[in-house]
Amino acid sequence: MASVASTSVLLEKYIRQGSWPTIWCSGCGIGTVMGALLRAIERLQLNQDEIVIGTGIGCSGFIYNYLNFDAFHGTHGRALAIATGIKIANPNLTVIVPMGDGDCAAIGGNHFIHAARRNIDLTAIIINNEIYGMTGGQYSPLTPRARLATTAPKGHLERPFDLCELAKAAGATYVARGTAYYVHQLIDLLSEAIAHKGFSVVEVIAQCPVQFGRRNEMPTAIEMLRWQRKHTVQAQRAAQLSLEELGDKRVIGRMVKIDAPEWTEEYAKVIEAARDDRADG
C-alpha cells in the first residue's frame, strides 16, 4: 500500500489559514473526500502553483474556500465549462473539478457528457450524496428510486443515472467509483485519475445524514457508512457475479482506463499547422 500523508502535513501545506471551521454539517462526507483529494495530490508531488480547483454551486462547491490553490467558484452546473476554459487557456495546469450529483448530472449534465466526449484533461470528482443538500433535500438525478426527499415525500418515482456508465458511454477515458468508507481506495483512485492524461471521472458515494439519511432510516453518518460497506462490491469481484447475485450493490473501483488523443494536445497541433500555412504564404 502506498504511503499516506499525515493530517498535520495536509493542514500546514494545503489548507488556507483561518478558513475553518467549514460550513459542512456534522457527519458530512465531503470533508473525507477533500482529505483524500489532498492526500492524492501530496502523493503525486504536484506543483501547488499549477493546480486549479473549479467548482459550481452546492455543498461540494465550498471546497475551494478551504484549499490553498488557485480556484474559481462558478455558477450552478457550470464547473466543467469554467474548467474547460481554464485548461484551454493554460494546458500546463492541473485542473480538478469537485461537483455534487445535482450540480454535475442535472444542471451540468450536458457539460459533463461533452467534456467526456472531447477527452479534455480535467479530473471530475462527483461527490454523490444522492440529494440536493444545501437547498433543502430535493431529489437529484442520482437519487435512487423509492427513496424519500422533500420533493418526493412518498418515494422517488424515477430511475437514477448510473453516472459511471454515462461517463463510459460519453467517452471518458478514466472512470472509477469510490466511497467515503473505503478511504485508502479513494486516495488510490483519485491519484490515478489526476495523473491520467484525458478526461477522468471519479464518482464518490458520500453520506449526507442531515438531508438524505434522516429521511431514509439512516440518521447518522455511521449508519450511512455501514450502508456503503454493505451495498458496494469491488469491480473484480462484481465481474464474477450474475445480475441476480449483484442485486442492489454498487460496483466500486476502476472501470475504465484507456489512452486516447487529448483535446488540448490535438488543438496545439491545429495551431501549429495554421502557423505553418501562414509561413508558407
Side-chain angles (χ1 to χ4, degrees):
M1 182 180 293
S3 62
V4 174
S6 69
T7 300
S8 60
V9 169
L10 301 182
L11 285 171
E12 182 176 348
K13 189 172 181 180
Y14 296 115
I15 298 296
R16 291 184 190 276
Q17 298 300 310
S19 64
W20 283 16
T22 73
I23 69 156
W24 300 316
C25 304
S26 177
C28 174
I30 297 175
T32 303
V33 179
M34 185 174 75
L37 170 62
L38 293 180
R39 287 180 168 90
I41 290 171
E42 176 67 13
R43 178 184 293 176
L44 295 170
Q45 290 293 292
L46 300 176
N47 184 339
Q48 198 164 341
D49 293 331
E50 294 181 351
I51 296 173
V52 178
I53 303 294
T55 64
I57 301 298
C59 299
S60 61
F62 282 90
I63 282 180
Y64 85 99
N65 270 340
Y66 311 116
L67 302 183
N68 195 18
F69 304 118
D70 288 329
F72 193 105
H73 185 50
T75 52
H76 208 184
R78 312 307 174 204
L80 283 170
I82 292 161
T84 297
I86 293 169
K87 185 68 181 182
I88 291 173
N90 186 350
N92 293 322
L93 296 174
T94 298
V95 184
I96 301 170
V97 193
M99 296 173 282
D101 44 307
D103 194 31
C104 172
I107 302 96
N110 262 334
H111 295 303
F112 180 71
I113 61 175
H114 289 290
R117 176 181 61 82
R118 294 186 187 106
N119 195 36
I120 190 164
D121 188 23
L122 308 172
T123 298
I125 304 169
I126 300 91
I127 303 171
N128 176 15
N129 58 16
E130 303 182 332
I131 206 153
Y132 284 91
M134 192 175 74
T135 54
Q138 300 89 347
Y139 65 75
S140 85
L142 301 190
T143 302
R145 196 168 186 276
R147 290 295 196 177
L148 302 181
T150 54
T151 46
K154 300 299 183 184
H156 188 35
L157 299 176
E158 303 168 5
R159 296 171 296 168
F161 278 134
D162 183 325
L163 199 65
C164 289
E165 291 299 323
L166 182 62
K168 288 161 62 176
T173 50
Y174 182 96
V175 180
R177 179 184 289 124
T179 66
Y181 180 80
Y182 292 108
V183 176
H184 286 277
Q185 180 186 42
L186 181 58
I187 297 168
D188 292 341
L189 295 174
L190 292 173
S191 300
E192 280 192 345
I194 295 168
H196 178 74
K197 192 69 173 178
F199 188 67
S200 55
V201 176
V202 181
E203 177 191 347
V204 187
I205 301 171
Q207 68 277 10
C208 174
V210 173
Q211 296 291 10
F212 185 86
R214 68 178 180 173
R215 293 186 172 88
N216 290 281
E217 301 178 340
M218 295 179 287
T220 69
I222 292 174
E223 288 169 284
M224 297 198 75
L225 288 165
R226 285 174 177 156
W227 184 96
Q228 292 175 24
R229 182 181 63 183
K230 185 177 179 181
H231 290 84
T232 53
V233 59
Q234 299 292 335
Q236 288 181 327
R237 170 66 178 148
Q240 301 169 359
L241 301 178
S242 67
L243 288 177
E244 290 75 18
E245 291 170 322
L246 191 59
D248 67 348
K249 287 185 167 57
R250 316 257 183 106
V251 178
I252 58 174
R254 186 214 303 156
M255 301 171 196
V256 173
K257 188 177 187 300
I258 57 175
D259 294 325
E262 191 275 326
W263 195 94
T264 61
E265 292 184 346
E266 294 302 300
Y267 191 61
K269 295 175 186 176
V270 172
I271 294 172
E272 190 63 29
R275 286 174 176 162
D276 290 345
D277 288 347
R278 180 177 294 180
D280 292 340

